Amino acid sequence: MARTSRYNTINTSRVKEITTVEKVYKTAIYARLSVEDLGTFDEQTALVTGAIENQIFLVNEYIKTIPCLKLCGTFIDNGQSGTDFNREGFKRLMEAVKRGDINCIVVKDLSRLGRDYIETGNYLEKVFPFLGVRFISVNDGYDSHKPTKTGDNITFILKNLINDIYARDISKKIKSVYETKQKKGEFIGNYAPYGYLKSPEDKHKLIINKETAPVIRDIFQWKLNGISNLEITRKLNEQKVMSPRNYLYSKNIISSERYAKRILWNMNSINEIFSNLAYIGHMAQGKTKNDINTGIKHKNQSRDKWFVVENTHEPIIEQSVFYAVNEIINKRTDKYRQMRKGIERGKSIFVGIVYCPDCGRTLSRKNREAKNGKTYYSFICPTYAQHLSAGCSKKNIPEETLKKAVSMEITQQILLLCGIENEINAFPQINNKENELLTECTEIKQNLSRLSSRKNSLYDDFKDGLLTETEYNYTRKKCGNEINLLKLRLNEITDESDKCNKKAFSENKHFVAFENLSREMLTTLVDKIYVYHDNRIQIDFKYTVQWNGTIF
């Protein structure tokens, strides 16, 4: 009997051990390469670029040595700072975790996850354990699945803190190095201005690009010939000249797939070319300040804050041509301002609400002076205005026509509502309180879904030996309590929302018998208005009235 008991004990332990070892983890590689951390920092060379592929290769080789890790995906943030977690690759990774597609994350080292001490610690100590995610940092020798000694845990915490301090310190150092290079006239941009290339011998020097420099010369010559910026953009697009971003993508200088599709030239690109001192051989940098530590960009710095160094590279345009073009631009700008001086342009109630259903941009309001001296306004698609049919289909609706159509639609909605509820003759106002309740309601529903998934997965963790019976019962009860509290709050929100709607009805009775459509009515009742090529309009209201009298 003793032998049998001993055998059973050993066998049960072995079965448990085998079960633990054979548990397969759906594993993801997370790799990040930040703007300030392209390699080993050096005071003289600023940064030495390192390939993100090296991170992926190292982690992948590690995963191959652990049988229970099954690689299910790779998530990358290339050129993203680790000082915050608002990164596209990391957000996609967390979405996969919440869906249950991933339950193990492996990184090269802790700094790849993040350099913010508090946020990184929060993920390691709270978020990942709560979601049942195993976290492995290869170079740090850290695996959340394996028990660690007290000393090892302290070391890991210190590394997290050091990463945070390092991020702040290196930001200051790099800023100083970059400013020194800018003062010397050394180019520090990610890619050269259109018409130039970075020199193969020295990436801080610009050389003329024989493929694109002729386009720059044509653009300046066309302007000298009296062609407008709008006509220049159309001319380039008609000739199918690749826009700057498309060209960079075609040469593998940038890799983002969004530049794979055709991007048309626009007037902003032309304006930037006309104002860029690089085309006469001068280096002008510092127009935008970028705080590497916080990731905040300060655009359009005043000219006195620029770093301008003359004659740093071969010019594409002669100075006489460059300044002649800019004089033409300045004269036309001054002439236009004088023409518009003293003319009060009426504000439209539709600005920012009317959209093009094809390109998604807001329609621009344009004015036309009639022979009788009266000014007429219309809304047009700005994409079509610049690029004609190459960019979008034509939309051009007179403002008065739009106003009549919208007023008629709102009147119909009012009549419908009044016919259903005689006591109520107003619309609900979507106010701040209601928005807050809607936001909280959405968050609660997301938390309920997450907690339910977590609660359902607890038994699997218990069965696999990841949780003891005590831990399983405690966590299951805790999840149940949290779910009940959230459901209770959801019911409270429903009651509060009903009260808000009733109050909004009484406060907006003046909308019923309106004579003129107002901005207040539009922003209260309407979300978006879409205008189609045949002047047909579609109104997305902030509510829906159904025949049973329900208002959403």
Side-chain angles (χ1 to χ4, degrees), residues 4-132:
T4 303
S5 177
R6 182 171 178 269
Y7 176 78
N8 287 340
T9 303
I10 294 172
N11 187 51
T12 303
S13 177
R14 182 166 176 76
V15 169
K16 185 176 180 179
E17 180 184 346
I18 291 172
T19 303
T20 303
V21 171
E22 290 183 346
K23 174 179 170 64
V24 176
Y25 285 89
K26 294 174 283 189
T27 306
I29 295 173
Y30 178 69
R32 181 183 63 80
L33 201 64
S34 63
V35 176
E36 81 280 8
D37 189 14
L38 300 177
T40 304
F41 180 76
D42 185 275
E43 293 282 351
Q44 301 299 320
T45 60
L47 298 174
V48 179
T49 303
I52 202 164
E53 288 79 8
N54 291 339
Q55 289 183 44
I56 298 171
F57 175 79
L58 184 147
V59 175
N60 197 23
E61 290 299 303
Y62 172 83
I63 291 174
K64 290 178 182 178
T65 66
I66 312 295
C68 65
L69 302 184
K70 179 185 177 183
L71 183 60
C72 296
T74 300
F75 298 83
I76 299 171
D77 279 310
N78 199 354
Q80 295 293 315
S81 171
T83 55
D84 67 66
F85 284 83
N86 188 27
R87 316 173 214 138
E88 289 303 318
F90 184 76
K91 287 192 285 188
R92 288 196 301 272
L93 170 61
M94 293 308 297
E95 287 170 3
V97 168
K98 292 172 184 176
R99 288 195 306 268
D101 298 338
I102 300 296
N103 60 2
C104 179
I105 300 171
V106 187
V107 297
K108 176 189 172 186
D109 56 62
L110 183 60
S111 65
R112 298 307 92 203
L113 176 65
R115 291 192 181 278
D116 182 275
Y117 172 65
I118 296 175
E119 277 296 306
T120 304
N122 184 52
Y123 274 96
L124 293 174
E125 297 172 17
K126 296 180 181 179
V127 178
F128 290 159
F130 182 79
L131 295 174

Side-chain angles (χ1 to χ4, degrees), residues 183-453:
K183 289 175 182 177
K184 290 180 180 179
E186 297 181 18
F187 182 73
I188 64 168
N190 292 328
Y191 39 82
Y194 186 80
Y196 285 101
L197 294 169
K198 290 184 181 181
S199 170
E201 290 78 25
D202 184 355
K203 64 180 181 180
H204 300 300
K205 297 287 185 183
L206 296 180
I207 58 174
I208 290 179
N209 184 342
K210 294 181 180 179
E211 289 184 352
T212 56
V215 178
I216 296 296
R217 296 189 184 101
D218 285 342
I219 289 172
F220 275 88
Q221 188 58 50
W222 290 337
K223 193 66 180 177
L224 279 180
N225 294 343
I227 298 178
S228 68
N229 290 10
L230 178 59
E231 291 173 311
I232 290 174
T233 62
R234 290 176 179 173
K235 198 176 185 72
L236 291 168
N237 290 326
E238 286 169 3
Q239 295 178 0
K240 298 192 182 305
V241 177
M242 278 194 289
S243 64
R245 296 286 179 173
N246 280 146
Y247 180 80
L248 291 173
Y249 180 84
S250 71
K251 297 299 180 181
N252 295 318
I253 297 174
I254 56 178
S255 57
S256 178
E257 289 299 321
R258 62 177 172 163
Y259 300 122
K261 64 180 181 180
R262 188 186 179 199
I263 298 174
L264 299 172
W265 285 82
N266 56 59
M267 288 193 288
N268 287 336
S269 300
I270 303 301
N271 288 330
E272 288 175 5
I273 286 173
F274 287 145
S275 64
N276 197 336
L277 295 174
Y279 297 118
I280 56 175
H282 303 339
M283 192 70 72
Q285 300 180 101
K287 300 174 184 178
T288 299
K289 297 291 183 182
N290 185 16
D291 190 327
I292 298 174
N293 185 41
T294 63
I296 298 174
K297 289 185 177 182
H298 305 281
K299 297 182 178 180
N300 301 323
Q301 295 290 305
S302 59
R303 196 179 181 90
D304 60 311
K305 293 182 180 179
W306 295 5
F307 296 101
V308 180
V309 181
E310 297 184 353
N311 305 317
T312 57
H313 54 273
E314 185 181 354
I316 295 176
I317 303 298
E318 294 180 5
Q319 288 196 26
S320 58
V321 173
F322 182 87
Y323 289 115
V325 164
N326 276 272
E327 187 176 353
I328 291 172
I329 294 171
N330 292 335
K331 283 183 178 179
R332 287 187 176 178
T333 302
D334 291 340
K335 184 178 179 181
Y336 178 77
R337 286 174 179 169
Q338 287 297 323
M339 284 175 55
R340 303 302 300 168
K341 193 174 183 180
I343 298 177
E344 186 177 347
R345 188 172 178 176
K347 294 182 180 179
S348 172
I349 61 173
F350 293 105
V351 172
I353 298 177
V354 189
Y355 287 79
C356 170
D358 297 320
C359 66
R361 295 180 65 183
T362 55
L363 299 192
S364 301
R365 188 182 188 229
K366 298 295 181 182
N367 65 300
R368 177 177 61 84
E369 304 292 337
K371 292 181 179 180
N372 59 6
K374 191 175 179 180
T375 302
Y376 294 91
Y377 294 97
S378 61
F379 283 87
I380 67 171
C381 173
T383 306
Y384 178 83
Q386 277 200 46
H387 311 300
L388 300 181
S389 58
C392 197
S393 58
K394 183 179 180 180
K395 287 94 183 173
N396 188 342
I397 186 169
E399 187 171 33
E400 283 302 313
T401 302
L402 178 64
K403 192 171 184 178
K404 288 177 182 178
V406 174
S407 296
M408 185 180 297
E409 184 65 26
I410 290 179
T411 300
Q412 290 177 350
Q413 290 289 308
I414 291 175
L415 292 175
L416 175 61
L417 182 59
C418 289
I420 297 167
E421 289 288 346
N422 292 323
E423 307 86 20
I424 302 173
N425 53 5
F427 289 83
Q429 184 179 10
I430 308 300
N431 52 29
N432 292 334
K433 180 62 177 177
E434 182 69 8
N435 285 333
E436 289 173 6
L437 292 173
L438 288 172
T439 302
E440 187 180 356
C441 182
T442 302
E443 291 176 353
I444 287 176
K445 288 180 179 178
Q446 291 174 348
N447 288 332
L448 279 172
S449 176
R450 177 172 52 80
L451 283 170
S452 297
S453 299

